[in-house]
Amino acid sequence: MTGCTRRLTLALLLGIAFAMPAQAEEPYDPWPGLVQDIFSNRPMNDGSAVIGIEMPYRAEDAAIVPVTLRSKLSPGDSRRIRSITLVIDRNPAPMAAKFELGPDANVTEISTRVRVNNYTDVHAVAELSDGQLYVSKVYVKASGGCSAPAGKNIEEAKARLGKMRYRQFAREEAPASRVREAQIMIGHPNNSGLQMDQVTQLYIPAFFINQLKLTQDDSPVLSMEGGISISEDPNLRFTYVSNGAKRFRAEAKDTDGHVFRNEWDVEKPGT
């Protein structure tokens, strides 16, 4: 083969190579690794008839994105939801919270607010009394929520640290119904560790509520193991069935070892 022929052949091959469409890389999906890390690779069943997850498709504020988790089990289903794990796949610490549901409280709905750091899938994994895991997911467009500056200055946050409020909401059921809808709010900066002090330009250390237990008298209603993805001033709204208790109690702990406690008269909720 002459030099001219070789050059012509090489040119043709290069032309073909550049003319071929480049193969798009498969987008990285962190979920399989999270199933291994968080759930020890346990089998995941379709949760579309078990657990619902509602979030805005495009968040208005990535630092306070509302999320609602709702049981979809039919009234005749003998199983119950033991726990719900909320996973924000592309957050720096993906496991946002794990909720343990009291065995007799019949919690069917939980709402809170979370930080979302990137466009991401968000998974809700329910563990049922049959020992199986059931998963549902939504996709959320938001970014920068974990590094967004705190809404309150340091002194204001200190003044509110650990302060709790308990509220109840009217339900459409008959007055005799024991189903209650309530809300717990806790004053706490819930620093993610990714936020920067605007004065010193140094990162603010992570400092957040990592445990919360709610009881009616001493009977468990709901507990939460929280992480950096729960928004500033943690806020939980939920439904439960009253056992006739007169007092509702809350106990929270944070990563610095503070313990906050409060209780309220069920019939006269308030600060």
Side-chain angles (χ1 to χ4, degrees):
M1 182 181 291
T2 67
C4 183
T5 305
R6 282 197 298 269
R7 286 194 293 273
L8 180 59
T9 303
L10 180 60
L12 287 170
L13 290 173
L14 287 172
I16 293 170
F18 281 113
M20 291 177 64
Q23 285 191 336
E25 289 187 13
E26 287 290 326
Y28 170 64
D29 181 6
W31 180 241
L34 296 174
V35 172
Q36 178 177 339
D37 294 344
I38 300 174
F39 304 99
S40 303
N41 261 343
R42 291 172 62 188
M44 292 281 167
N45 300 290
D46 177 15
S48 57
V50 174
I51 182 74
I53 174 170
E54 298 174 10
M55 298 179 74
Y57 176 67
R58 187 181 294 277
E60 293 184 10
D61 186 337
I64 46 171
V65 183
V67 54
T68 295
L69 307 168
R70 183 176 290 111
S71 171
K72 298 177 74 174
L73 293 176
S74 64
D77 198 319
S78 61
R79 301 171 300 173
R80 72 172 187 86
I81 297 178
R82 287 177 177 168
S83 69
I84 304 172
T85 304
L86 179 64
V87 181
I88 305 174
D89 294 19
R90 293 182 180 272
N91 268 16
M95 195 182 88
K98 182 176 182 180
F99 301 97
E100 299 278 352
L101 282 54
D104 302 315
N106 195 28
V107 173
T108 56
E109 188 172 309
I110 304 169
S111 296
T112 189
R113 304 176 305 187
V114 295
R115 298 176 169 122
V116 178
N117 213 51
N118 295 285
Y119 286 23
T120 184
D121 285 329
V122 181
H123 288 84
V125 179
E127 179 170 14
L128 267 58
S129 52
D130 62 6
Q132 300 294 308
L133 299 180
Y134 298 84
V135 61
S136 295
K137 73 174 181 178
V138 295
Y139 186 77
V140 177
K141 288 186 173 184
S143 60
C146 293
S147 57
K152 298 177 177 63
N153 63 42
I154 294 175
E155 294 307 315
E156 187 179 357
K158 284 182 179 178
R160 291 170 47 82
L161 189 69
K163 291 187 177 181
M164 298 185 186
R165 291 184 62 201
Y166 168 66
R167 298 174 61 196
Q168 282 192 49
F169 301 90
R171 301 282 296 181
E172 293 181 0
E173 292 88 351
S177 171
R178 296 187 299 127
V179 177
R180 297 182 184 271
E181 184 173 0
Q183 182 180 39
I184 291 286
M185 294 158 283
I186 307 171
H188 203 285
N190 256 38
N191 296 327
S192 67
L194 300 172
Q195 298 152 304
M196 186 175 286
D197 187 307
Q198 301 303 305
V199 176
T200 66
Q201 296 297 296
L202 298 174
Y203 284 102
I204 302 168
F207 174 46
F208 55 89
I209 296 289
N210 58 354
Q211 293 181 43
L212 174 64
K213 295 181 180 178
L214 307 176
T215 61
Q216 43 182 335
D217 284 344
D218 296 318
S219 179
V221 173
L222 181 64
S223 65
M224 181 187 76
E225 176 187 343
I228 66 169
S229 297
I230 298 297
S231 299
E232 181 180 2
D233 294 335
N235 182 321
L236 282 184
R237 184 163 172 165
F238 52 95
T239 61
Y240 72 101
V241 172
S242 170
N243 64 359
K246 301 299 183 184
R247 308 292 290 175
F248 196 93
R249 299 189 172 104
E251 178 182 283
K253 298 180 182 179
D254 69 20
T255 51
D256 276 11
H258 301 117
V259 179
F260 312 106
R261 297 186 180 92
N262 209 334
E263 63 178 71
W264 303 266
D265 185 328
V266 172
E267 303 305 326
K268 298 176 183 178
T271 304

Short mmCIF file of all heavy atoms in Angstrom, two decimals, residues 55 59 61-65 87-94 96 114-122 139-149 192-196 203 228-231:
data_model
loop_
_atom_site.label_atom_id
_atom_site.label_comp_id
_atom_site.label_asym_id
_atom_site.label_seq_id
_atom_site.Cartn_x
_atom_site.Cartn_y
_atom_site.Cartn_z
N MET A 55 -44.21 15.34 46.90
CA MET A 55 -43.31 16.49 46.97
C MET A 55 -43.53 17.32 45.71
O MET A 55 -43.98 16.78 44.69
CB MET A 55 -41.84 16.04 47.04
CG MET A 55 -41.48 15.23 48.26
SD MET A 55 -39.74 14.69 48.28
CE MET A 55 -38.90 16.22 48.68
N ALA A 59 -39.17 22.65 43.36
CA ALA A 59 -39.29 23.28 44.67
C ALA A 59 -39.11 24.79 44.58
O ALA A 59 -38.25 25.28 43.85
CB ALA A 59 -38.25 22.69 45.62
N ASP A 61 -38.25 26.64 47.27
CA ASP A 61 -37.09 26.91 48.12
C ASP A 61 -36.45 25.57 48.45
O ASP A 61 -37.05 24.75 49.16
CB ASP A 61 -37.52 27.64 49.39
CG ASP A 61 -36.34 28.09 50.25
OD1 ASP A 61 -35.25 27.50 50.13
OD2 ASP A 61 -36.52 29.04 51.05
N ALA A 62 -35.24 25.33 47.97
CA ALA A 62 -34.59 24.02 48.14
C ALA A 62 -34.25 23.72 49.59
O ALA A 62 -33.97 22.57 49.93
CB ALA A 62 -33.32 23.97 47.29
N ALA A 63 -34.28 24.73 50.47
CA ALA A 63 -33.95 24.51 51.88
C ALA A 63 -35.16 24.10 52.72
O ALA A 63 -34.99 23.62 53.85
CB ALA A 63 -33.32 25.77 52.48
N ILE A 64 -36.37 24.28 52.18
CA ILE A 64 -37.58 23.91 52.93
C ILE A 64 -38.59 23.28 51.96
O ILE A 64 -39.63 23.87 51.68
CB ILE A 64 -38.20 25.12 53.68
CG1 ILE A 64 -38.29 26.36 52.78
CG2 ILE A 64 -37.44 25.43 54.95
CD1 ILE A 64 -39.08 27.49 53.39
N VAL A 65 -38.27 22.11 51.49
CA VAL A 65 -39.13 21.43 50.53
C VAL A 65 -40.14 20.56 51.29
O VAL A 65 -39.74 19.69 52.06
CB VAL A 65 -38.31 20.55 49.57
CG1 VAL A 65 -39.21 19.91 48.52
CG2 VAL A 65 -37.20 21.37 48.90
N VAL A 87 -35.36 8.72 51.80
CA VAL A 87 -34.02 8.78 51.21
C VAL A 87 -34.02 9.80 50.07
O VAL A 87 -34.79 9.67 49.12
CB VAL A 87 -33.58 7.40 50.67
CG1 VAL A 87 -32.17 7.48 50.09
CG2 VAL A 87 -33.64 6.34 51.77
N ILE A 88 -33.17 10.82 50.19
CA ILE A 88 -32.99 11.81 49.13
C ILE A 88 -31.69 11.43 48.42
O ILE A 88 -30.59 11.74 48.90
CB ILE A 88 -32.95 13.23 49.71
CG1 ILE A 88 -34.22 13.50 50.54
CG2 ILE A 88 -32.83 14.27 48.60
CD1 ILE A 88 -34.23 14.83 51.28
N ASP A 89 -31.81 10.76 47.30
CA ASP A 89 -30.70 10.01 46.71
C ASP A 89 -29.42 10.81 46.54
O ASP A 89 -28.32 10.31 46.81
CB ASP A 89 -31.11 9.45 45.35
CG ASP A 89 -32.20 8.39 45.45
OD1 ASP A 89 -32.89 8.34 46.50
OD2 ASP A 89 -32.37 7.62 44.49
N ARG A 90 -29.51 12.05 46.05
CA ARG A 90 -28.32 12.80 45.70
C ARG A 90 -27.91 13.82 46.76
O ARG A 90 -27.05 14.67 46.48
CB ARG A 90 -28.50 13.47 44.33
CG ARG A 90 -28.57 12.47 43.19
CD ARG A 90 -28.69 13.15 41.84
NE ARG A 90 -28.76 12.16 40.76
CZ ARG A 90 -27.71 11.64 40.13
NH1 ARG A 90 -26.50 12.02 40.48
NH2 ARG A 90 -27.86 10.75 39.17
N ASN A 91 -28.49 13.75 47.94
CA ASN A 91 -28.03 14.61 49.03
C ASN A 91 -26.70 14.08 49.58
O ASN A 91 -26.42 12.88 49.47
CB ASN A 91 -29.08 14.67 50.14
CG ASN A 91 -30.04 15.83 49.95
OD1 ASN A 91 -30.13 16.41 48.87
ND2 ASN A 91 -30.77 16.17 50.99
N PRO A 92 -25.90 14.94 50.20
CA PRO A 92 -24.62 14.49 50.76
C PRO A 92 -24.79 13.37 51.79
O PRO A 92 -23.95 12.46 51.86
CB PRO A 92 -24.06 15.75 51.41
CG PRO A 92 -24.69 16.87 50.66
CD PRO A 92 -26.07 16.39 50.30
N ALA A 93 -25.84 13.43 52.59
CA ALA A 93 -26.20 12.34 53.50
C ALA A 93 -27.60 11.90 53.08
O ALA A 93 -28.61 12.50 53.50
CB ALA A 93 -26.19 12.82 54.95
N PRO A 94 -27.71 10.88 52.23
CA PRO A 94 -29.00 10.57 51.58
C PRO A 94 -30.14 10.18 52.52
O PRO A 94 -31.29 10.46 52.22
CB PRO A 94 -28.64 9.41 50.64
CG PRO A 94 -27.18 9.58 50.38
CD PRO A 94 -26.60 10.09 51.67
N ALA A 96 -32.50 10.90 54.90
CA ALA A 96 -32.98 12.12 55.54
C ALA A 96 -33.57 11.83 56.91
O ALA A 96 -33.32 12.57 57.87
CB ALA A 96 -34.02 12.79 54.65
N VAL A 114 -37.78 19.31 54.11
CA VAL A 114 -36.41 18.81 53.94
C VAL A 114 -35.59 19.72 53.03
O VAL A 114 -36.14 20.55 52.29
CB VAL A 114 -36.42 17.38 53.34
CG1 VAL A 114 -37.06 16.39 54.30
CG2 VAL A 114 -37.11 17.35 51.98
N ARG A 115 -34.27 19.53 53.10
CA ARG A 115 -33.35 20.18 52.18
C ARG A 115 -33.08 19.25 51.01
O ARG A 115 -32.89 18.04 51.20
CB ARG A 115 -32.04 20.50 52.89
CG ARG A 115 -32.17 21.45 54.07
CD ARG A 115 -30.82 21.62 54.76
NE ARG A 115 -30.86 22.70 55.74
CZ ARG A 115 -30.58 22.56 57.03
NH1 ARG A 115 -30.26 21.36 57.51
NH2 ARG A 115 -30.63 23.59 57.84
N VAL A 116 -33.04 19.81 49.82
CA VAL A 116 -32.70 19.03 48.62
C VAL A 116 -31.53 19.72 47.94
O VAL A 116 -31.61 20.90 47.59
CB VAL A 116 -33.90 18.92 47.66
CG1 VAL A 116 -33.51 18.16 46.40
CG2 VAL A 116 -35.07 18.21 48.35
N ASN A 117 -30.44 18.98 47.73
CA ASN A 117 -29.20 19.60 47.26
C ASN A 117 -28.99 19.54 45.75
O ASN A 117 -28.24 20.33 45.21
CB ASN A 117 -28.00 18.96 47.96
CG ASN A 117 -26.88 19.95 48.18
OD1 ASN A 117 -27.11 21.03 48.72
ND2 ASN A 117 -25.67 19.60 47.75
N ASN A 118 -29.63 18.58 45.08
CA ASN A 118 -29.49 18.42 43.63
C ASN A 118 -30.79 17.88 43.05
O ASN A 118 -31.62 17.33 43.78
CB ASN A 118 -28.37 17.41 43.29
CG ASN A 118 -27.01 17.88 43.73
OD1 ASN A 118 -26.42 18.75 43.10
ND2 ASN A 118 -26.49 17.30 44.81
N TYR A 119 -30.96 18.01 41.75
CA TYR A 119 -32.07 17.33 41.09
C TYR A 119 -31.95 15.84 41.42
O TYR A 119 -30.88 15.25 41.21
CB TYR A 119 -32.00 17.51 39.57
CG TYR A 119 -32.37 18.88 39.06
CD1 TYR A 119 -32.28 20.02 39.85
CD2 TYR A 119 -32.79 19.05 37.75
CE1 TYR A 119 -32.62 21.27 39.36
CE2 TYR A 119 -33.12 20.31 37.24
CZ TYR A 119 -33.04 21.41 38.06
OH TYR A 119 -33.36 22.65 37.58
N THR A 120 -33.03 15.23 41.90
CA THR A 120 -32.86 13.90 42.46
C THR A 120 -34.15 13.10 42.54
O THR A 120 -35.24 13.67 42.61
CB THR A 120 -32.26 14.02 43.89
OG1 THR A 120 -31.99 12.72 44.43
CG2 THR A 120 -33.22 14.73 44.83
N ASP A 121 -34.02 11.78 42.55
CA ASP A 121 -35.10 10.91 42.99
C ASP A 121 -35.15 10.96 44.51
O ASP A 121 -34.12 11.08 45.19
CB ASP A 121 -34.84 9.46 42.56
CG ASP A 121 -35.08 9.22 41.08
OD1 ASP A 121 -35.94 9.91 40.50
OD2 ASP A 121 -34.41 8.34 40.50
N VAL A 122 -36.36 10.85 45.05
CA VAL A 122 -36.56 10.74 46.50
C VAL A 122 -37.38 9.47 46.74
O VAL A 122 -38.45 9.31 46.14
CB VAL A 122 -37.28 11.97 47.07
CG1 VAL A 122 -37.45 11.83 48.58
CG2 VAL A 122 -36.50 13.25 46.74
N TYR A 139 -39.60 12.42 41.73
CA TYR A 139 -38.44 13.17 41.26
C TYR A 139 -38.64 14.64 41.60
O TYR A 139 -39.73 15.19 41.43
CB TYR A 139 -38.27 13.01 39.74
CG TYR A 139 -37.02 13.63 39.19
CD1 TYR A 139 -35.78 13.01 39.36
CD2 TYR A 139 -37.06 14.86 38.52
CE1 TYR A 139 -34.63 13.59 38.86
CE2 TYR A 139 -35.90 15.44 38.02
CZ TYR A 139 -34.68 14.79 38.19
OH TYR A 139 -33.53 15.36 37.71
N VAL A 140 -37.59 15.27 42.13
CA VAL A 140 -37.68 16.66 42.57
C VAL A 140 -36.58 17.48 41.92
O VAL A 140 -35.41 17.08 41.92
CB VAL A 140 -37.57 16.76 44.11
CG1 VAL A 140 -37.60 18.22 44.55
CG2 VAL A 140 -38.68 15.99 44.78
N LYS A 141 -36.97 18.63 41.37
CA LYS A 141 -35.99 19.58 40.83
C LYS A 141 -35.74 20.67 41.87
O LYS A 141 -36.59 21.51 42.13
CB LYS A 141 -36.52 20.20 39.54
CG LYS A 141 -36.54 19.24 38.35
CD LYS A 141 -36.93 19.97 37.06
CE LYS A 141 -36.79 19.06 35.85
NZ LYS A 141 -37.07 19.77 34.59
N ALA A 142 -34.56 20.61 42.47
CA ALA A 142 -34.14 21.61 43.46
C ALA A 142 -32.63 21.49 43.58
O ALA A 142 -32.06 20.44 43.30
CB ALA A 142 -34.81 21.37 44.80
N SER A 143 -31.98 22.55 44.01
CA SER A 143 -30.53 22.47 44.19
C SER A 143 -30.07 23.49 45.22
O SER A 143 -30.67 24.55 45.38
CB SER A 143 -29.80 22.71 42.86
OG SER A 143 -30.10 23.99 42.33
N GLY A 144 -29.01 23.12 45.94
CA GLY A 144 -28.38 24.02 46.89
C GLY A 144 -29.01 24.08 48.26
O GLY A 144 -28.61 24.89 49.10
N GLY A 145 -29.96 23.20 48.54
CA GLY A 145 -30.68 23.28 49.81
C GLY A 145 -29.83 23.01 51.03
O GLY A 145 -30.03 23.60 52.09
N CYS A 146 -28.84 22.13 50.91
CA CYS A 146 -28.02 21.78 52.08
C CYS A 146 -26.99 22.85 52.42
O CYS A 146 -26.49 22.89 53.54
CB CYS A 146 -27.32 20.44 51.85
SG CYS A 146 -28.46 19.04 51.78
N SER A 147 -26.66 23.71 51.46
CA SER A 147 -25.67 24.76 51.71
C SER A 147 -26.30 26.14 51.82
O SER A 147 -25.60 27.13 52.04
CB SER A 147 -24.62 24.77 50.58
OG SER A 147 -25.25 24.95 49.32
N ALA A 148 -27.63 26.22 51.71
CA ALA A 148 -28.31 27.51 51.80
C ALA A 148 -28.12 28.12 53.19
O ALA A 148 -28.18 27.41 54.20
CB ALA A 148 -29.79 27.34 51.51
N PRO A 149 -27.89 29.43 53.28
CA PRO A 149 -27.70 30.07 54.58
C PRO A 149 -28.92 29.89 55.48
O PRO A 149 -30.06 29.78 55.00
CB PRO A 149 -27.51 31.55 54.23
CG PRO A 149 -27.09 31.56 52.80
CD PRO A 149 -27.77 30.38 52.17
N SER A 192 -26.40 21.96 58.64
CA SER A 192 -26.06 20.79 57.84
C SER A 192 -24.57 20.49 57.80
O SER A 192 -24.16 19.39 57.39
CB SER A 192 -26.54 21.00 56.40
OG SER A 192 -25.80 22.05 55.78
N GLY A 193 -23.73 21.44 58.19
CA GLY A 193 -22.29 21.28 58.06
C GLY A 193 -21.77 21.75 56.71
O GLY A 193 -20.56 21.76 56.48
N LEU A 194 -22.68 22.13 55.80
CA LEU A 194 -22.29 22.59 54.48
C LEU A 194 -22.59 24.08 54.28
O LEU A 194 -22.36 24.62 53.20
CB LEU A 194 -23.04 21.78 53.41
CG LEU A 194 -22.79 20.28 53.44
CD1 LEU A 194 -23.73 19.57 52.47
CD2 LEU A 194 -21.34 19.96 53.11
N GLN A 195 -23.10 24.72 55.34
CA GLN A 195 -23.41 26.15 55.26
C GLN A 195 -22.19 26.97 55.69
O GLN A 195 -21.42 26.55 56.55
CB GLN A 195 -24.61 26.47 56.17
CG GLN A 195 -25.88 25.74 55.78
CD GLN A 195 -26.79 25.50 56.96
OE1 GLN A 195 -26.40 24.90 57.96
NE2 GLN A 195 -28.01 25.99 56.86
N MET A 196 -22.03 28.13 55.09
CA MET A 196 -20.87 28.97 55.37
C MET A 196 -21.28 30.20 56.17
O MET A 196 -22.29 30.83 55.87
CB MET A 196 -20.22 29.40 54.05
CG MET A 196 -18.91 30.16 54.22
SD MET A 196 -18.11 30.49 52.63
CE MET A 196 -17.50 28.85 52.22
N TYR A 203 -16.98 27.17 57.34
CA TYR A 203 -18.16 26.33 57.39
C TYR A 203 -18.66 26.18 58.82
O TYR A 203 -17.87 26.03 59.76
CB TYR A 203 -17.86 24.95 56.80
CG TYR A 203 -17.77 24.94 55.29
CD1 TYR A 203 -16.55 24.92 54.64
CD2 TYR A 203 -18.94 25.01 54.52
CE1 TYR A 203 -16.47 24.95 53.26
CE2 TYR A 203 -18.87 25.03 53.14
CZ TYR A 203 -17.64 25.00 52.51
OH TYR A 203 -17.59 25.03 51.15
N ILE A 228 -29.01 15.57 58.41
CA ILE A 228 -28.78 16.96 58.01
C ILE A 228 -29.80 17.44 56.97
O ILE A 228 -29.89 18.64 56.71
CB ILE A 228 -27.36 17.17 57.44
CG1 ILE A 228 -27.18 16.40 56.12
CG2 ILE A 228 -26.31 16.78 58.46
CD1 ILE A 228 -25.91 16.76 55.37
N SER A 229 -30.57 16.52 56.40
CA SER A 229 -31.53 16.92 55.37
C SER A 229 -32.82 17.49 55.94
O SER A 229 -33.62 18.06 55.19
CB SER A 229 -31.85 15.74 54.45
OG SER A 229 -30.69 15.30 53.77
N ILE A 230 -33.07 17.33 57.23
CA ILE A 230 -34.27 17.93 57.83
C ILE A 230 -34.03 19.43 57.99
O ILE A 230 -33.00 19.87 58.49
CB ILE A 230 -34.58 17.28 59.19
CG1 ILE A 230 -34.86 15.79 59.02
CG2 ILE A 230 -35.77 17.97 59.84
CD1 ILE A 230 -36.08 15.47 58.18
N SER A 231 -34.99 20.22 57.56
CA SER A 231 -34.83 21.67 57.51
C SER A 231 -34.69 22.31 58.89
O SER A 231 -35.01 21.70 59.92
CB SER A 231 -36.04 22.30 56.79
OG SER A 231 -36.15 21.83 55.47
#
